[in-house]
Amino acid sequence: MENPETYEFVLPSMWMGIVVVVAFFAILYYVGYRAMKMTTTADDFYAAGFSVGPVVNALAMVATWASLATFMGVIALIYKLQVPFVYLWIQWGLSIPLITLLYGTCLRRMKAYTPATFIKARYGNEATILVVIWGSLAMIMYALGQMIGLGMAFEVLFGIPYNWGIVVVGIATIVFITLGSMYGLTHNAAFMSLVMILTMVLPMGGIMKALGSSGWWFPPLAYGDMVPAMLDELPNFFDMTYSYKWYFSLIPALTLGPVALPHLAMRVFTSGSVKTARWNLPWFVFFLGLLFGATYTAGFAGNMFTAVEGMAIEPPDQTILALNVFYNPDIVAALVIGGVLAGGLSTIGGNLMAISGLVGNDLMNVVKPNAEHKSKVTIGYIALAVGGLIALLLAFRPPPFLVVSVLWAFGLLATTVTPAILLGVWWKQTNKLAVIISSIVSGVVYIIISPHAAAGIVVGKGVTAALGMAGGMVTVPLAFMIVIIGSVVFNQMNIAPVTLEEKQVIDRIHGWGSDYEEKRYNGMLMPVIMVLVCVVVFIWGLQPW
C-alpha cells in the first residue's frame, strides 16, 4: 500500500506501566540483597564462586547477550531491512557457541574472571594492559547504547524527560549490580531472561492469531503458514538483497568480534566445572532460539500489520509495543515494558561487571599483583561505578558516532583482541611482541578507515562502513597475518621468544595437566592456511564495495 498512515505507540495507562516498572525493580533489588550476603571473596564477586549451573548460566547468557536491541532495534531493522537483517543477527548469535567451543572451556580450567586473565598468563603484563583498554572501551560503548535506549524508552512510555530517564536507569542499574555482585547479577539476569522470553513469546501468540496464523500457539515459528500471504502483500520480503560480499563481511566483524567480549566470556567462566560450562551451550541455544524466533516473528508481524492495516509504525523501534497495544489487552502491553527493561538492564549489568573484572582483577594483577582480595574487590566496585558514570554522562549528549557504535565496537574487538585469544589458545608459537604490534597497528587502521574518524579515508560505504563490516574485512585478516608472520620472524630472531612456562599454559588449559609435550598445538600447517585465507579476504575487502 502506498503512503500508509502513521501509527504511533501510546501506552493506554501510564500508571499500569509504572506499577510494572516498580515491581520489576523490587525483584531485582531483593535478589541483589540476598546475593550480597553470599559475596565474601573475589571469586564470589567476579565469578559467583564458580558455582553456577548450566540452566541458570544459559539464561543469564541470553539476558546478557540479547540486550534492549532485541525488543526495539532488532525488530525495527527486520521491519525496515526485512530478511537480510536476520542473517546479520544470526552471525552475532554464533558468538557464545564459538566462545564455548574455541576457548571458553579451556580458560575455565584456569578459573579465569575474564579473557584478560589468560592474556596475562600467555603474553605478560603489556599485552594485558592493552586488552584491558580495548575491552573497557568496548564495554563503555556497549553500555552507552543501552542507556540511551532505556532513556528514550522512559521518555516515550512515561513522558519522563530523556535526561531524567537516563539518570533513573543509570543509578538504578549501578546500585543493583553493586548490591549483589556476580551472584546477584547472574540470578537477576536469569530472571530477566525469563521475563524477556515470556513477554516476547506469549504476547506474539495473540498478535499472530489476530493476523490469521493457525500456528499462533507457538510464535517462534508462527509465521510459517503465513508466508504465502506475505509474498502476496510484500513479494520482496524474503529477497537476498545484498551481494555475497555483504553477507561474508558479517563473519569478521559480527561473528569474531563478540568472541572477545568479556561480559559474554565471563558467563562461561562462572560455571561450576568444565562439564557444566559445555552444557551451557545447548541450553543457551534453546532459550535464545525461543527468544529470537519470536523476535523474527515480531518483525514479520510488523510488516504484515502495515500491509493489512495500511498503517506504518513510526518510529519502527516501537514495533513490538505498537503491535501489543493494537491487538492485545492493555495489561499485556504494560508487561511487555518489563521485557524492554530486562533487555537493557541485563546487558548494562554485564558490561559494567566486565569493566569491574578487567580493572579490579586483571589490571590490578599487573599494577599491584600482591594486593589482598578485599582491595581488588574494592577497586572492582570503583571501576564498576566509574564505568557506569562515564556511560551515564556520555548519554546526556551522545556524540553521533557513539549512538551507532555498539556493532562497530565488535569489529574493533575482532581486530584487536580476538586474534590474541584464539591463536594464543591453539598455537604455542604465538609471540607476545607480535600480538602487541598487531593489536595496536590493526586497531589504529580499523579506526582510520571507518567513516567515524577521517572522512576521506574510508573502506566500504553506507551501513557496511558505519557498522565496521567493511573495515573488519580488512583489519581482522590483517591482524591475524601480523600475529602469525610476526611470531615466526620474532621467534627465529629470538626476540621476545615464547617461554616454556607460556607453552605449558596451553597444554594445561587443554586438560593435559602437567603432561607437557612440545609438539602439541605447535605445528605450522594451520597458521600457513590461515595466512593464505587472510590474504584472500584482505584483498577482497579492499576491492570497491
Side-chain angles (χ1 to χ4, degrees):
M1 178 177 292
E2 295 184 1
N3 300 319
E5 64 178 283
T6 298
Y7 177 65
E8 296 184 16
F9 162 75
V10 178
L11 186 66
S13 171
M14 183 181 71
W15 287 106
M16 191 179 295
I18 290 174
V19 169
V20 169
V21 171
V22 171
F24 184 77
F25 273 108
I27 294 172
L28 296 182
Y29 278 101
Y30 175 74
V31 173
Y33 173 74
R34 291 291 301 271
M36 181 175 62
K37 298 181 178 180
M38 303 170 64
T39 303
T40 58
T41 68
D43 286 352
D44 295 334
F45 182 77
Y46 293 119
F50 302 104
S51 62
V52 183
V55 175
V56 172
N57 228 346
L59 284 168
M61 284 177 173
V62 170
T64 303
W65 189 91
S67 85
L68 176 67
T70 303
F71 276 79
M72 302 183 79
V74 172
I75 297 174
L77 286 168
I78 296 174
Y79 181 69
K80 288 292 187 180
L81 299 179
Q82 300 173 350
V83 161
F85 183 78
V86 174
Y87 288 85
L88 186 153
W89 213 241
I90 288 173
Q91 291 297 327
W92 192 21
L94 290 172
S95 57
I96 281 187
L98 286 177
I99 288 173
T100 304
L101 296 173
L102 294 179
Y103 76 89
T105 53
C106 293
L107 268 61
R108 173 60 187 76
R109 292 187 178 94
M110 297 178 66
K111 288 195 171 182
Y113 297 143
T114 71
T117 306
F118 165 74
I119 295 294
K120 184 178 187 303
R122 184 67 173 82
Y123 302 119
N125 292 343
E126 293 82 1
T128 304
I129 294 172
L130 199 57
V131 169
V132 168
I133 292 171
W134 290 124
S136 298
L137 175 62
M139 290 299 92
I140 290 173
M141 293 162 74
Y142 206 152
L144 171 62
Q146 306 305 309
M147 285 194 177
I148 292 170
L150 286 172
M152 291 178 176
F154 271 66
E155 183 179 30
V156 171
L157 297 174
F158 309 121
I160 299 174
Y162 170 77
N163 287 346
W164 281 108
I166 289 174
V167 171
V168 171
V169 170
I171 294 176
T173 306
I174 292 171
V175 171
F176 92 73
I177 302 168
T178 306
L179 190 66
S181 68
M182 186 58 87
Y183 271 121
L185 181 60
T186 298
H187 289 89
N188 270 326
F191 162 70
M192 288 187 276
S193 184
L194 290 174
V195 170
M196 283 192 283
I197 292 170
L198 292 175
T199 57
M200 179 69 80
V201 174
L202 298 183
M204 282 308 304
I207 293 168
M208 295 308 292
K209 185 176 183 180
L211 287 171
S213 171
S214 60
W216 60 268
W217 51 274
F218 188 59
L221 298 177
Y223 56 86
D225 65 333
M226 297 185 67
V227 169
M230 174 62 83
L231 291 174
D232 289 339
E233 298 288 349
L234 295 171
N236 299 323
F237 182 82
F238 295 99
D239 287 357
M240 302 288 284
T241 309
Y242 302 102
S243 66
Y244 290 119
K245 188 176 184 179
W246 190 93
Y247 292 102
F248 182 87
S249 69
L250 302 173
I251 298 173
L254 301 183
T255 303
L256 295 181
V259 167
L261 285 172
H263 73 301
L264 296 185
M266 288 172 77
R267 289 292 167 209
V268 179
F269 303 159
T270 58
S271 300
S273 66
V274 172
K275 181 179 179 180
T276 57
R278 291 190 177 121
W279 270 106
N280 292 340
L281 181 55
W283 283 111
F284 167 78
V285 171
F286 171 72
F287 291 127
L288 187 69
L290 288 177
L291 178 62
F292 269 25
T295 302
Y296 301 149
T297 304
F300 182 98
N303 280 274
M304 280 297 292
F305 170 81
T306 297
V308 173
E309 303 293 345
M311 292 184 285
I313 300 173
E314 291 293 342
D317 281 349
Q318 297 173 23
T319 296
I320 185 68
L321 300 171
L323 291 173
N324 274 283
V325 168
F326 193 89
Y327 290 116
N328 283 328
D330 294 351
I331 184 60
V332 175
L335 290 173
V336 172
I337 295 171
V340 173
L341 289 175
L345 294 175
S346 59
T347 303
I348 294 174
N351 299 152
L352 298 185
M353 200 67 209
I355 292 174
S356 178
L358 286 167
V359 176
N361 180 72
D362 300 315
L363 188 60
M364 281 291 289
N365 281 338
V366 172
V367 177
K368 199 173 182 180
N370 297 321
E372 296 180 355
H373 284 310
K374 185 177 181 181
S375 298
K376 293 180 180 179
V377 171
T378 300
I379 295 297
Y381 275 121
I382 294 172
L384 187 155
V386 170
L389 183 61
I390 291 172
L392 180 63
L393 293 175
L394 286 172
F396 281 113
R397 294 179 64 85
F401 156 63
L402 287 177
V403 178
V404 296
S405 65
V406 175
L407 294 181
W408 183 87
F410 297 161
L412 181 64
L413 286 176
T415 298
T416 58
V417 181
T418 299
I421 295 175
L422 298 187
L423 289 171
V425 168
W426 292 100
W427 190 41
K428 286 178 179 174
Q429 294 303 313
T430 308
N431 180 283
K432 66 181 73 176
L433 182 57
V435 164
I436 293 170
I437 293 173
S438 171
S439 182
I440 295 173
V441 172
S442 301
V444 171
V445 171
Y446 181 83
I447 293 169
I448 291 174
I449 65 175
S450 76
H452 311 299
I457 310 175
V458 179
V459 172
K461 56 186 177 182
V463 68
T464 58
L467 298 184
M469 293 158 57
M473 268 194 74
V474 174
T475 58
V476 173
L478 175 65
F480 276 98
M481 285 191 291
I482 292 175
V483 173
I484 294 171
I485 296 173
S487 294
V488 172
V489 172
F490 291 147
N491 288 337
Q492 287 292 324
M493 297 175 65
N494 204 34
I495 299 175
V498 185
T499 65
L500 177 61
E501 183 181 0
E502 290 165 351
K503 292 179 181 179
Q504 288 173 334
V505 169
I506 298 188
D507 277 19
R508 191 163 63 250
I509 65 175
H510 281 284
W512 296 99
S514 59
D515 180 21
Y516 175 75
E517 191 171 313
E518 179 71 15
K519 67 180 181 180
R520 291 194 194 111
Y521 318 108
N522 208 17
M524 286 301 299
L525 179 60
M526 177 196 72
V528 169
I529 293 174
M530 289 185 68
V531 168
L532 294 176
V533 171
C534 287
V535 168
V536 173
V537 175
F538 177 78
I539 295 173
W540 191 21
L542 288 174
Q543 302 303 307
W545 283 72

